[in-house]
Amino acid sequence: MGEEGATTVFELLRPGRGLLLLAPGDEARREELRAAAAPWRDRVRIATAAGADAEAGPAALLVRPDGHVAWSDGTPDTAPGEDLTAALERWFGPAALRPPRPAAPREAAKVTPVTAPAREVRGGGTDRLAGRTALVTGSSRGMGRAAAIRLAEEGALVAVHYTSDGAAADEVVASVEKDGGRAFAIRAELGVPGDVESLFGALEADLLERTGSTDLHILVNNAGVMGGVGPADITPDQFDRIFAVNAKAPFFLIQRALRNMPDGGRIINISSGLTRFANPDEIAYAMSKGALEQLALHFAKALGPRGITINSVAPGITRNGNPVFDIPEAVEQMASLSAFNRVGEPEDVADVVAFLATDEARWITGSFVDATGGTLLG
């Protein structure tokens, strides 16, 4: 009856946790039930049923780990929060308590957020980011594209940022929407005067239209440019361009995003294994990524009181559409650098990004996450 991707109810219960199984149909009803059960997410898994059979049954079932149905919601006038809460408390104990985060001054009053509608779980997602918004820079292709899709799989409304390839960004949005997620594309060139305000002007307008709020919960600084020029040949203009996009833009994107980010937000910066692995032809690029990593260290200290985490993720050799990945001999040579004897896939990095964006990563901040597939092991 219930599925998460190709997962059965039996498999969902296998870890020994309870299960709140939501029927498709009334999205507002599902989201109300999901919100009521949120304080028990550490003991009760929440999934959406699929298939025509589910539509004819109750709006939701609460299933104990032994498979017994402990509660069902079958009528539209039932008070879901009260009834479901009582059943959750009876079978799974008190709601999880988290200490309140200290209030931080905000520059402007915010509109009360409209919770994003629930969606059917696909592609391994578990809706851990339902009701949250995310911006992924440079997400029309490669790792950024994979990260945007992965965050959407977890339930986030994702802003797909691009600089010039609008068709590619639209394809990412279409891919997300095809799988039941929500996304929209925004264009802004980074590394030029006025870049951050231009991006946030478009972002806030779209967020307000879609959610009733300009809150941004997750920022992924992925956009970047490489040099490919040796230290003897790089020009000041090339050097400045690399730093403008890879280091300066992320700094001011973070600065600007903090005006929109509620306490408990997530910032993830995509660095590079080249900050730990030498390649003289990318010395300026590596320097810029080293500067980017300092943002996590120092902002983590400043943002800790607000419960906002910030971390650096360092990919290694990752398939990115470069023609070199079409040459078997080159791929074999690159793969030999990894402990797993393969090159990375964009999804390998996207999964790390998605984890750092969730509540499960709340105790990780200011860190350098090696996502090189063991390339840095030596």
Side-chain angles (χ1 to χ4, degrees):
M1 180 173 86
E3 295 188 355
E4 186 174 290
T7 303
T8 66
V9 171
F10 175 78
E11 290 170 336
L12 290 173
L13 292 171
R14 189 186 298 275
R17 298 165 64 193
L19 171 66
L20 178 64
L21 187 63
L22 305 174
D26 188 338
E27 291 186 346
R29 181 74 163 171
R30 285 192 298 169
E31 185 57 28
E32 189 175 7
L33 293 166
R34 186 185 300 278
W40 284 267
R41 294 287 301 244
D42 58 331
R43 285 153 283 170
V44 177
R45 192 167 190 174
I46 303 174
T48 302
D53 292 342
E55 297 180 5
L61 296 174
L62 178 63
V63 186
R64 297 186 331 204
D66 60 2
H68 177 78
V69 176
W71 175 88
S72 66
D73 179 61
T75 59
D77 57 352
T78 303
E82 296 175 4
D83 287 0
L84 179 57
T85 297
L88 287 162
E89 288 179 342
R90 177 182 179 186
W91 295 108
F92 300 98
L97 297 178
R98 292 188 181 175
R101 298 185 178 100
R106 306 290 286 277
E107 291 198 11
K110 301 298 180 188
V111 180
T112 302
V114 176
T115 305
R119 64 183 184 83
E120 295 194 5
V121 180
R122 299 173 187 265
T126 56
D127 274 4
R128 293 180 295 178
L129 302 177
R132 302 182 198 180
T133 58
L135 165 63
V136 183
T137 65
S139 49
S140 63
R141 61 184 180 86
M143 288 181 288
R145 177 186 187 277
I149 291 174
R150 188 70 183 83
L151 293 174
E153 285 178 351
E154 292 287 356
L157 168 63
V158 181
V160 178
H161 163 259
Y162 70 99
T163 298
S164 58
D165 196 343
D170 289 341
E171 185 278 327
V172 178
V173 172
S175 179
V176 167
E177 293 178 341
K178 178 182 177 182
D179 285 340
R182 299 193 305 155
F184 59 92
I186 55 172
R187 181 191 177 280
E189 182 178 359
L190 298 180
V192 298
D195 52 357
V196 173
E197 287 306 318
S198 174
L199 191 159
F200 268 84
L203 176 67
E204 288 181 333
D206 275 301
L207 288 177
L208 189 60
E209 178 183 351
R210 289 168 168 79
T211 71
S213 167
T214 59
D215 281 357
L216 178 67
H217 302 88
I218 302 161
L219 169 63
V220 181
N221 280 312
N222 169 78
V225 294
M226 298 189 75
V229 182
D233 300 316
I234 191 167
T235 67
D237 286 345
Q238 290 171 322
F239 188 94
D240 289 345
R241 171 64 177 164
I242 290 171
F243 267 78
V245 176
N246 296 356
K248 182 179 178 179
F251 176 90
F252 286 101
L253 282 168
I254 293 171
Q255 182 192 71
R256 180 62 177 80
L258 290 173
R259 291 161 53 182
N260 299 70
M261 187 169 288
D263 293 354
R266 299 286 183 265
I267 302 170
I268 301 148
N269 299 323
I270 305 302
S271 181
S272 170
L274 287 178
T275 63
R276 307 291 196 279
F277 192 93
N279 177 355
D281 285 338
E282 292 294 351
I283 186 170
Y285 172 79
M287 289 173 66
S288 70
K289 290 298 187 178
L292 180 71
E293 289 174 10
Q294 293 300 308
L295 298 184
L297 178 65
H298 298 281
F299 265 117
K301 188 76 170 179
L303 298 177
R306 291 185 56 190
I308 296 174
T309 67
I310 176 169
N311 294 286
S312 301
V313 174
I317 299 173
T318 306
R319 201 180 301 275
N320 60 7
N322 190 300
V324 72
F325 287 95
D326 296 327
I327 305 172
E329 294 80 9
V331 172
E332 182 179 0
Q333 183 179 7
M334 291 186 290
S336 67
L337 299 174
S338 165
F340 301 113
N341 199 35
R342 68 173 177 86
V343 298
E345 300 294 339
E347 293 73 19
D348 294 325
V349 180
D351 283 344
V352 178
V353 171
F355 166 70
L356 290 173
T358 65
D359 288 341
E360 284 88 338
R362 62 189 176 276
W363 205 236
I364 303 173
T365 194
S367 71
F368 171 89
V369 181
D370 179 353
T372 68
T375 300
L376 303 182
L377 296 177

